[in-house]
Amino acid sequence: GVLFMDMGTGKTRTAIELVWLRRKLISKCVWCCPVSLKETVKREILRHTSCREEDIHVFGSKTRETNIPRVGWHIVGLESLGRSARVFSALGRLIDGGTFLIVDESSYIKGHKAKRTRRLTRLGVRAPYRLILTGTPITQGIEALYAQMEFLSPRILGCPSWHSFRNMYAALPNDGERVERMGYIFLPRSATYPLFIHCRSTGQHRY
């Protein structure tokens, strides 16, 4: 799922509600967010659910695959996932078929070649429920969407690879100037509506 919502409109609470509604179908939620937001996410979980402090594990410098507690919520720093083999290994042990995996501020995985992006995409395949949150899905051109959608499912954009996505939606002339071929993008303020992309050059669109 996707929550492209402006800052201050309740992305975090909406995501918590989605997880809480599915609590009987999952065994845990793994919430990946910027390190600076880890404690904020924890406070919001405590505020909007009946969970207690001991139900939430915030990844720290001592977290390893051998000592991960059995709790319902795990909060992980996105920066750590890209830099630390220890954190990646721990998540590899933790994420399974009963996991709801959230990427908060998903613009952090906009680079499709970045280690952080590749690791999260690999881990995401194991989780039956995946959700991304951000108020700025496109920060430096339409290419930023590819990695975020690829994390959710390659079928969303209908492109089997980055190259096919680039060829369909953007051109790179010889002088290096990027020319967008995208007709328009509809990024809803409410999670009720889908993401809609229309390609002017081919007439194709994706929901």
Side-chain angles (χ1 to χ4, degrees), residues 46-124:
L46 292 171
R47 179 181 178 186
H48 298 297
T49 71
S50 59
C51 292
R52 298 168 296 179
E53 289 264 355
E54 54 267 33
D55 298 322
I56 304 171
H57 171 237
V58 179
F59 269 56
S61 60
K62 296 182 180 180
T63 302
R64 286 169 172 74
E65 59 180 303
T66 55
N67 64 1
I68 302 174
R70 287 192 169 186
V71 295
W73 299 82
H74 298 267
I75 303 173
V76 189
L78 280 167
E79 298 92 335
S80 303
L81 181 57
R83 293 193 292 254
S84 171
R86 171 183 57 82
V87 172
F88 178 55
S89 177
L91 286 177
R93 181 72 173 267
L94 179 64
I95 295 173
D96 56 24
T99 304
F100 196 128
L101 180 58
I102 294 176
V103 178
D104 194 347
E105 298 300 339
S106 59
S107 56
Y108 273 61
I109 60 168
K110 63 186 177 184
H112 71 285
K113 290 184 178 180
K115 182 185 291 186
R116 179 192 303 154
T117 303
R118 289 185 282 110
R119 285 179 168 180
L120 262 175
T121 302
R122 284 173 56 189
L123 293 169

Side-chain angles (χ1 to χ4, degrees), residues 4 137-138 141-149 157 165 185 195 197:
F4 287 165
I138 301 177
I142 190 63
E143 299 90 340
L145 266 183
Y146 174 77
Q148 296 176 72
M149 297 300 114
L157 293 176
F165 174 82
I185 308 167
L195 171 71
I197 300 176

